[in-house]
């Protein structure tokens, strides 16, 4: 950690300052800066004036600013920007469903940050993958208990299972799409995740459903399975959903939905969404069996 702090934290500070300067000059949010624009600030035409202006730097420039832009740090910062740009170009090849002949949109800093967050550290599983695996394990335990008659659902369990099942299988319809665009779109599928979590939390709030508390550390296997899916796997997309909801609200009315999605839902985010949707589908199948015993799915 000492080596990281010594070698890379100044680079992080330099990149953060460059992002703030670029956003200030372009009068946009940091989220909406084109990633390649940072090159001009960390190792280019604007580097010499990165310390100018009235931007609050929170002590970043407490040291001499010339130390922050030493040759070594500038080269490291450039490498970070270039490496991320190349990684994005490689990932663009996977977005076949949104390549309709239009030029690719610019790579924005916020979108690359979401891609990195969803992809995780190279050679390691992303954090959300553990949430999905844990949820799937709880579903397996629920199925085992149900099939082996180690746990028998009562009326309250069946009622709850029906309510959650309806939530999980409901067709995504938010946000509304422009006329002529068929859904569900990627953005609708992702933005339904906070709705799933909040709805299940609401279903679990009355006194009669105390067994379905948020912690999901005790109680019956139904509680643990629903809690693990709603408050771990689904919740892993909460920050991304909040960011995309804000970005969708600012979408130009004439921008094609497919182009917007290609810009703001990079491949790692789509991969995460698909995995979370998969575990939701697994849970909904078991809930149908509990809520509608004897019925055909």
């Amino acid at each position: 950690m000492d080596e990281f702090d010594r070698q890379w934290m100044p680079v992080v500070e330099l990149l953060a300052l460059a992002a703030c300067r670029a956003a200030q000059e372009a009068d946009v949010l940091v989220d909406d800066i084109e990633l390649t624009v940072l090159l001009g600030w960390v190792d280019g035409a604007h580097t010499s004036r990165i310390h100018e202006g009235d931007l609050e730097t929170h002590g970043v420039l407490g040291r001499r600013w010339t130390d922050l832009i030493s040759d070594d740090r500038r080269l490291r910062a450039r490498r970070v920007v270039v490496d991320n740009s190349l990684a994005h170009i490689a990932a663009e090849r996977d977005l076949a469903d949104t390549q309709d002949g239009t030029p690719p949109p610019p790579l924005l800093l916020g979108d690359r940050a979401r891609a990195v967050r969803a992809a995780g550290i190279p050679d390691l599983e992303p954090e959300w993958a553990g949430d999905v695996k844990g949820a799937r394990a709880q579903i397996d335990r629920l199925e085992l208990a149900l099939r082996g008659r180690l746990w028998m659902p009562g009326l309250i369990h069946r009622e709850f299972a029906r309510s959650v099942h309806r939530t999980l299988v409901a067709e995504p319809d938010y946000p509304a799409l422009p006329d002529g665009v068929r859904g569900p779109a990627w953005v609708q599928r992702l933005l339904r995740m906070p709705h799933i979590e909040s709805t299940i939390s609401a279903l679990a709030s009355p006194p009669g459903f105390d067994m379905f508390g948020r912690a999901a550390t005790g109680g019956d296997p139904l509680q643990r399975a629903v809690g693990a899916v709603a408050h771990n796997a689904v919740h892993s997309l909460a920050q991304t959903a909040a960011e995309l909801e804000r970005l969708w609200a600012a979408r130009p009315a004439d921008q094609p939905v497919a182009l917007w999605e290609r810009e703001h839902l990079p491949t790692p985010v789509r991969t995460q969404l698909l995995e979370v949707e998969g575990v939701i589908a697994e849970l909904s199948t078991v809930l149908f069996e509990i809520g509608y015993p004897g019925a055909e799915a």
Side-chain angles (χ1 to χ4, degrees):
M1 181 60 71
D2 290 341
E3 182 179 354
F4 177 86
D5 288 344
R6 184 175 62 257
Q7 292 190 1
W8 284 103
M9 282 309 297
V11 178
V12 172
E13 292 176 345
L14 176 57
L15 287 165
L17 182 57
C20 291
R21 290 294 188 214
Q24 184 184 51
E25 291 222 345
D27 194 25
V28 298
L29 297 173
V30 170
D31 196 292
D32 296 330
I33 300 166
E34 290 190 34
L35 185 65
T36 53
V37 169
L38 295 184
L39 291 174
W41 288 93
V42 300
D43 188 31
H46 309 307
T47 308
S48 62
R49 61 185 185 89
I50 197 171
H51 66 296
E52 297 175 355
D54 57 0
L55 186 68
E56 175 58 58
T57 58
H58 299 288
V60 169
L61 300 182
R63 71 173 74 89
R64 290 183 2 154
W65 71 270
T66 51
D67 294 336
L68 189 64
I69 59 171
S70 67
D71 290 343
D72 177 65
R73 288 166 186 163
R74 291 169 62 174
L75 288 175
R76 286 175 181 267
R78 170 176 281 276
R79 181 175 131 200
V80 169
V81 176
V82 171
D83 285 354
N84 275 276
S85 299
L86 293 175
H88 171 74
I89 291 172
E92 274 280 303
R93 302 189 188 103
D94 296 333
L95 300 184
D97 61 333
T98 52
Q99 291 182 359
D100 56 2
T102 58
L107 172 57
L108 304 183
L109 178 60
D111 298 313
R112 183 58 194 160
R114 279 181 284 278
V116 171
R117 188 169 66 223
I121 299 173
D123 301 323
L124 294 176
E125 278 191 338
E127 186 175 345
W128 61 262
D131 293 328
V132 170
K133 283 185 177 179
R136 185 165 284 121
Q138 292 297 344
I139 295 172
D140 290 343
R141 293 188 180 98
L142 172 60
E143 281 194 289
L144 180 62
L146 195 62
R147 305 272 187 271
R149 302 181 70 82
L150 303 173
W151 171 80
M152 296 295 292
L155 292 177
I156 193 171
H157 300 101
R158 298 194 189 281
E159 181 183 349
F160 182 74
R162 289 192 292 269
S163 297
V164 175
H165 180 266
R166 286 193 293 269
T167 297
L168 297 185
V169 301
E171 190 82 354
D173 59 3
Y174 174 81
L177 300 177
D179 291 342
V181 178
R182 296 180 60 185
W186 282 98
V187 64
Q188 292 178 314
R189 290 160 59 185
L190 198 146
L191 291 191
R192 82 170 177 135
M193 295 301 160
H195 171 73
I196 288 174
E197 184 179 8
S198 62
T199 300
I200 290 175
S201 295
L203 290 173
S205 61
F209 290 90
D210 282 346
M211 68 182 74
F212 305 109
R214 181 180 177 87
T217 55
D220 57 48
L222 177 60
Q223 169 206 356
R224 292 193 294 271
V226 172
V229 171
H231 304 311
N232 296 103
V234 169
H235 183 73
S236 71
L237 284 163
Q239 181 177 349
T240 297
E243 292 169 355
L244 290 180
E245 185 171 25
R246 175 186 61 79
L247 291 169
W248 177 266
R251 180 185 71 90
D254 60 348
Q255 184 179 29
V257 173
L259 186 60
W260 184 92
E261 291 186 331
R262 183 177 173 187
E263 180 175 358
H264 294 297
L265 281 99
T267 298
V269 173
R270 297 178 186 221
T271 299
Q272 180 181 358
L273 176 58
L274 288 170
E275 289 293 323
V276 173
E277 287 181 329
V279 81
I280 287 173
E282 292 175 27
L283 177 61
S284 67
T285 299
V286 183
L287 293 181
F288 184 87
E289 183 176 343
I290 295 171
Y292 306 95
E296 292 291 333

